[in-house]
Amino acid sequence: MNFGKKHVESKREELTSRSAMFGNTAGVTALRIGFALLLAFIVCAACLVLGTVRGIIDGTPDISEANIMPLGNASFIYDSEGNELQKLTGAEGNRVSISIDEIPLDMQHAIVAIEDERFYEHNGIDPSGILRAFIVGVGNGFHFTEGASTITQQLLKNNVFTDWMNETRLESFKRKLQEQYLALELEKELTAQGENAKDVILENYLNTINLGSGCYGVQTAAQTYFGKDAKDLTLSECAVLAAIPQAPTRYNPITHPENNATRREKVLRNMREQNYITDAEYQEALNDNVYDRIAMHTETKSVSNPYSYFIDEVITQLISDLMTQKGYTEVQAKNVVYSGGLKIYTTQDSYIQSVLDEEFQNEENFPSYVQYGLDWAMTVEQSDGTTQNYSKEMLQLYFRNQDPSFDLLFDSTEEAQSYVDQYKAAMVGEGDTIIGERINFILQPQASMTIIDQKTGYVKAIVGGRGEKTASLTLNRATDSYSQPGSTFKILATYGPALDLGKITLSTVIEDEAYNYENGQPVRNSDGRYHGDVTVREAIVHSYNIPAVKTLTELTPEAGFEYLSKLGFTRLNAADDAIQPLAIGGMHNGVSNLELTAAYACIANGGKYNTPIFYTKVTDSKGNVLIDNTNHTATQVFKSSTASLLTSVMEDVVKRGTGTACQIPNMHVAGKTGTTNEYKDLVFAGYTPYYTATIWTAYDSHAAFPESNREFHKKLWAKVMTRIHEGLPDVEFQLSSTVKEVTICTESGLLARSDCPSKTVEYYALADIPTERCKGHYVAPTLTPTPEATPTPTVDPTVTPTPVPTEDPSSGNGNESSGEEVTPDPSPDPGPSDDGVVPSAETEQ
């Protein structure tokens, strides 16, 4: 080292020289610029991050609009007495929400202990939990597998951010930021509203979570796994449920009890460590053989049954009403029915429904000769990759080409299966694959029945088929099947309108004679005979066709159709059905059992038609009335006098006509039978002072009933109605005040005289009572024969003859004929009428 004077001075000059100073300044400046740029970058990055975060937060749903309540709740259907009939659930709607007071503390503490141990301490997010998850994730090579979401955040994820399962990583990051912000806001908002934020959040969380086996919420899970309400759960059972939410399939206590047991032990251990339970309670719960109870309950638990025919129709009508009255789409309507937490109050009388179900399941009530119909379909993927669908109609056509009488009716299920196998063998080729097939064997003949309270229109019971119901929302023959109603329509389309318009009375005489439709086709009575002059009453009682067609022809089919249009028949068409055969039930599209029952209920209700109603009220999950179905107004279709007249004559149908098999003990019954061509449909529609009911029987294949099986439906109707009327007093049908009972001469149809040889009582509307009295009945006199000449006796002249006395005309006993022909008095004294004074007509109300 050289520390000499010259050297030191030289160094000093070097350091103080301009170039050196410039170099040092440049270095410092560069350092400063670099630092400034770094600072600017940091600031920009921070601003960018803050701006992004602010943008994400600004896009967060407003706390006032965030709905933390569960999105789907089970709906319930109740009978007319408020008894539960059916629970309806959607894919994620098997939930029954309950309040926090109904959730045991052990359940609350168990879920907190395993899911969010600092739940009662944080304000919506858990910073220490976030830090712990971050450290663990870094330690695992930036694989962040440990969650840090609080119960509050999980609630928001499930009920507000519902699309989280389909997120990208960027969307997941955005959602987590919004979750955290909203979690803080939610707890702050609930507290500001004076709510216990933790209780509100925990209540909604425990009503939301997926607890396996299609259960959502602790109430449904408690009922599914243990057969009890959540409030009755033990500590051990609470731990079982708390173990499920992290992975509902893996920890399902039915299918994977060993997995659930492992996590349940962790739940109990956490509860003990967090001082929610004592060591003794921990040991007791741990030793509980809870999984045996779960297995026993789920094994003995009945398999979910298909909906009844009544429930089917309630659901169908409610969905339709939500669309027409509330403007819902079909998808929205179905969602709210199955997952909207609705309470649906129906008109069903459970006792009447049980009677109907029992009698229709009793094979003794049906023909002993049982046959089977076939419901079949198949889908085949053919060898070339195309798909082909096959149906029972195609199968029928295939075999009809071989046998024109083939009708899809089989004497056994084995026979039906053999035809299916033959058809499959013919249709499925080499390399083809059957990818779907459905087959059901259906008892034949089939039947349906509807029972309505005529005063209200409330449907009390309905059955849409005999035999086991194998699926929900299937064919309901009482509401979905339309067919010709036969002679039951004589009342509705012909005689009812004609009586109502004053064109006939029950005593009007119609000649039952050879008669043709306008197209020349002859009208025939079912017995193939003509009966001469018959009254309207007798024509109805014996169900003669010709008088009915003649009556409607004179009335005009258009007039009859006008009445039918007010009786709720939905498939009648004036252009096609306002025709002469309408008089006896001839039409194109037919009517349903339900429609026919409602129309007869109109007569039973004094001529007032009520739309048939299956439910009265629907409330939403908050108890608000969604639909009030009780505000229907009855429509006066027939005059009350017409209804009384029709009831009177239909009582005779049951007493002495075609409906005698429908009599029930100690109860007034009125009704009308009906059959269609070749006896393909057998119908009886009738009523008592309490209920109206229609039974309809037919083969699904439209086969004809043999003569030996044409009465069973009437006996079944009577059997059902006898049971549902047990204990009810027998009361007479109410007679309209505008109807008068009058005694008439059966020969002349006029008001009877005292000396008419044959009289009967008939009912008339006051305006239609006969005013003319019978003129008497001419009886040809019996003529006295001319006496033969008597031989003159031989007189003995010696004997004096004894004088013969003569009749004193003044004695008053002379009655000998003068020898002239007696002529009846053409104007005999009519004498008093048996029914007294003819009343004056009153105006029909």
Side-chain angles (χ1 to χ4, degrees):
M1 280 269 179
N2 186 0
F3 291 100
K5 181 177 180 182
K6 288 183 179 182
H7 182 75
V8 170
E9 288 179 353
S10 176
K11 278 302 242 181
R12 181 183 299 160
E13 288 178 0
E14 184 180 340
L15 290 173
T16 57
S17 67
R18 288 193 176 203
S19 59
M21 290 180 64
F22 179 80
N24 290 338
T25 301
V28 171
T29 301
L31 183 61
R32 287 177 177 175
I33 291 173
F35 180 76
L37 289 175
L38 177 61
L39 183 61
F41 175 78
I42 292 172
V43 170
C44 289
C47 290
L48 181 62
V49 170
L50 289 174
T52 301
V53 171
R54 172 52 60 187
I56 291 173
I57 290 175
D58 287 344
T60 303
D62 191 282
I63 189 62
S64 62
E65 298 175 358
N67 182 9
I68 61 172
M69 295 181 65
L71 298 180
N73 284 287
S75 295
F76 291 90
I77 299 179
Y78 303 92
D79 70 7
S80 59
E81 298 296 323
N83 303 306
E84 182 183 321
L85 292 175
Q86 186 71 51
K87 178 182 178 182
L88 305 179
T89 60
E92 296 184 7
N94 188 15
R95 176 186 291 108
V96 179
S97 295
I98 55 177
S99 70
I100 193 68
D101 296 332
E102 298 174 274
I103 301 173
L105 278 175
D106 283 340
M107 186 69 243
Q108 299 176 43
H109 293 157
I111 205 72
V112 167
I114 194 67
E115 293 291 334
D116 185 3
E117 62 181 286
R118 282 177 288 278
F119 174 71
Y120 292 108
E121 301 168 10
H122 61 65
N123 294 321
I125 62 174
D126 183 10
S128 61
I130 295 172
L131 180 60
R132 183 197 69 244
F134 179 78
I135 293 172
V136 171
V138 171
N140 289 331
F142 291 92
H143 294 290
F144 298 97
T145 57
E146 185 166 331
S149 293
T150 62
I151 284 177
T152 309
Q153 289 177 254
Q154 292 180 48
L155 176 63
L156 291 167
K157 179 175 72 173
N158 286 324
N159 292 348
V160 179
F161 303 99
T162 54
D163 293 330
W164 60 272
M165 294 188 69
N166 300 314
E167 293 173 335
T168 63
R169 288 191 177 184
L170 181 60
E171 289 171 336
S172 177
F173 172 76
K174 175 183 175 181
R175 188 255 307 161
K176 287 181 181 295
L177 283 177
Q178 292 180 331
E179 259 181 28
Q180 292 173 353
Y181 171 76
L182 205 56
L184 294 169
E185 290 295 302
L186 176 61
E187 296 210 10
K188 183 169 66 175
E189 178 73 11
L190 289 173
T191 302
Q193 293 176 359
E195 300 271 8
N196 183 323
K198 297 300 181 181
D199 279 357
V200 171
I201 291 167
L202 199 55
E203 174 185 308
N204 283 283
Y205 179 77
L206 288 170
N207 283 323
T208 297
I209 51 178
N210 182 350
L211 291 169
S213 299
C215 305
Y216 291 84
V218 294
Q219 174 69 0
T220 303
Q223 293 172 336
T224 299
Y225 297 126
F226 306 109
K228 61 173 69 174
D229 290 332
K231 62 184 176 62
D232 299 321
L233 291 171
T234 65
L235 169 61
S236 173
E237 293 164 345
C238 290
V240 168
L241 299 187
I244 300 172
Q246 187 183 65
T249 300
R250 185 192 311 160
Y251 296 123
N252 186 304
I254 297 175
T255 57
H256 300 290
E258 65 288 345
N259 294 346
N260 184 276
T262 300
R263 187 162 173 81
R264 167 176 165 268
E265 183 176 353
K266 178 175 174 56
V267 171
L268 291 169
R269 189 166 58 251
N270 285 8
M271 292 180 74
R272 182 183 61 180
E273 291 172 356
Q274 295 169 33
N275 297 318
Y276 289 125
I277 59 174
T278 65
D279 188 66
E281 289 172 322
Y282 168 80
Q283 291 296 336
E284 180 183 357
L286 202 59
N287 294 330
D288 179 28
N289 197 3
V290 65
Y291 297 102
D292 282 355
R293 293 204 305 277
I294 293 174
M296 185 179 300
H297 173 70
T298 53
E299 284 176 7
T300 58
K301 184 180 167 184
S302 60
V303 177
S304 179
N305 294 319
Y307 301 152
S308 69
Y309 290 108
F310 194 101
I311 299 299
D312 281 354
E313 189 61 22
V314 169
I315 292 171
T316 301
Q317 288 204 4
L318 179 54
I319 289 173
S320 175
D321 290 346
L322 286 170
M323 293 169 65
T324 56
Q325 297 181 30
K326 298 297 180 180
Y328 289 13
T329 65
E330 184 175 1
V331 171
Q332 290 171 334
K334 288 181 177 179
N335 285 342
V336 77
V337 167
Y338 289 101
S339 303
L342 304 183
K343 291 187 176 180
I344 305 160
Y345 298 91
T346 75
T347 59
Q348 184 185 104
D349 183 309
S350 289
Y351 171 69
I352 295 178
Q353 185 66 59
S354 68
V355 169
L356 200 53
D357 291 339
E358 288 170 13
E359 296 299 344
F360 268 67
Q361 293 299 320
N362 185 353
E363 291 304 313
E364 294 181 0
N365 292 326
F366 294 90
S368 57
Y369 176 41
V370 175
Q371 291 183 288
Y372 295 88
L374 176 64
D375 178 25
W376 176 82
M378 177 178 69
T379 301
V380 174
E381 183 179 323
Q382 297 179 325
S383 56
D384 61 2
T386 60
T387 300
Q388 176 67 51
N389 294 318
Y390 297 91
S391 66
K392 65 179 181 181
E393 290 80 12
M394 296 168 71
L395 180 148
Q396 182 178 25
L397 183 61
Y398 174 81
F399 286 108
R400 273 193 174 175
N401 290 332
Q402 305 170 29
D403 177 5
S405 65
F406 182 79
D407 58 2
L408 285 178
L409 272 180
F410 307 96
D411 292 333
S412 67
T413 58
E414 291 79 11
E415 182 188 14
Q417 184 65 61
S418 71
Y419 277 90
V420 170
D421 293 341
Q422 291 177 54
Y423 185 65
K424 287 166 63 177
M427 295 297 111
V428 181
E430 185 177 351
D432 294 348
T433 303
I434 298 175
I435 59 176
E437 184 177 12
R438 182 192 74 244
I439 186 166
N440 286 303
F441 305 110
I442 304 167
L443 284 171
Q444 299 294 326
Q446 272 296 326
S448 65
M449 189 168 180
T450 305
I451 301 175
I452 290 179
D453 179 344
Q454 56 255 26
K455 298 180 181 64
T456 60
Y458 289 179
V459 179
K460 309 310 291 184
I462 195 168
V463 62
R466 64 182 283 217
E468 182 183 3
K469 191 172 187 289
T470 58
S472 300
L473 301 174
T474 53
L475 174 67
N476 184 339
R477 293 170 184 82
T479 59
D480 302 330
S481 296
Y482 287 74
S483 189
Q484 295 188 2
S487 292
T488 59
F489 243 45
K490 291 174 181 174
I491 299 297
L492 305 173
T494 303
Y495 294 119
L499 286 167
D500 210 57
L501 295 172
K503 302 297 184 182
I504 60 170
T505 68
L506 295 181
S507 63
T508 296
V509 175
I510 303 172
E511 186 175 2
D512 183 13
E513 59 182 343
Y515 188 78
N516 294 337
Y517 290 117
E518 291 175 352
N519 64 3
Q521 180 183 349
V523 183
R524 303 186 188 281
N525 291 321
S526 62
D527 61 3
R529 301 168 53 195
Y530 304 119
H531 306 88
D533 288 344
V534 294
T535 63
V536 167
R537 178 179 287 273
E538 293 307 305
I540 294 174
V541 168
H542 300 293
S543 201
Y544 298 145
N545 292 334
I546 294 169
V549 175
K550 292 176 76 172
T551 299
L552 183 62
T553 301
E554 184 174 344
L555 179 67
T556 75
E558 290 75 17
F561 186 90
E562 181 69 22
Y563 276 84
L564 296 176
S565 66
K566 302 174 185 177
L567 291 171
F569 296 110
T570 58
R571 297 196 178 183
L572 294 183
N573 181 283
D576 297 328
D577 298 324
I579 52 178
Q580 287 176 295
L582 189 65
I584 56 177
M587 64 193 71
H588 283 73
N589 296 317
V591 302
S592 72
N593 182 314
L594 176 66
E595 290 176 344
L596 189 62
T597 308
Y600 267 75
C602 169
I603 301 171
N605 191 38
K608 295 179 181 179
Y609 175 80
N610 283 303
T611 301
I613 294 172
F614 282 82
Y615 70 91
T616 56
K617 181 177 67 173
V618 178
T619 60
D620 62 21
S621 58
K622 297 180 180 179
N624 301 313
V625 175
L626 184 63
I627 293 181
D628 181 354
N629 206 31
T630 61
N631 53 6
H632 295 273
T633 303
T635 302
Q636 190 81 46
V637 177
F638 295 111
K639 299 173 185 176
S640 61
S641 58
T642 302
S644 287
L645 295 175
L646 292 173
T647 297
S648 169
V649 70
M650 286 194 286
E651 281 192 275
D652 270 1
V653 170
V654 176
K655 289 176 182 176
R656 60 184 180 85
T658 57
T660 54
C662 297
Q663 296 174 10
I664 62 178
N666 304 314
M667 186 62 58
H668 283 66
V669 179
K672 184 70 186 74
T673 54
T675 58
T676 56
N677 289 346
E678 301 178 8
Y679 294 91
K680 292 182 178 180
D681 295 87
L682 306 177
V683 187
F684 181 79
Y687 51 91
T688 69
Y690 299 96
Y691 299 111
T692 302
T694 297
I695 189 167
W696 201 313
T697 60
Y699 287 89
D700 287 340
S701 62
H702 305 293
F705 280 93
E707 186 174 356
S708 58
N709 293 337
R710 296 174 183 173
E711 292 289 314
F712 75 93
H713 66 296
K714 301 175 188 177
K715 297 174 184 177
L716 178 53
W717 188 94
K719 198 171 182 181
V720 169
M721 295 294 273
T722 296
R723 290 184 61 185
I724 71 173
H725 285 81
E726 288 175 355
L728 295 176
D730 181 18
V731 295
E732 294 187 356
F733 289 108
Q734 186 175 356
L735 188 68
S736 170
S737 62
T738 56
V739 168
K740 174 70 177 178
E741 181 183 283
V742 176
T743 302
I744 61 169
C745 172
T746 58
E747 295 185 15
S748 66
L750 302 175
L751 293 173
R753 304 163 28 102
S754 58
D755 60 350
C756 286
S758 177
K759 294 173 283 190
T760 189
V761 172
E762 189 53 275
Y763 293 91
Y764 296 88
L766 294 181
D768 298 328
I769 294 176
T771 57
E772 186 180 357
R773 295 190 182 278
C774 182
K775 301 301 184 183
H777 302 270
Y778 171 76
V779 180
T782 302
L783 298 179
T784 303
T786 302
E788 295 181 2
T790 304
T792 302
T794 303
V795 178
D796 186 348
T798 62
V799 178
T800 304
T802 302
V804 178
T806 60
E807 186 74 15
D808 181 0
S810 64
S811 68
N813 293 327
N815 57 359
E816 290 85 352
S817 169
S818 64
E820 296 179 353
E821 185 175 346
V822 177
T823 302
D825 182 355
S827 303
D829 179 9
S833 168
D834 285 356
D835 61 299
V837 180
V838 177
S840 59
E842 296 180 12
T843 302
E844 183 73 49
Q845 299 298 316

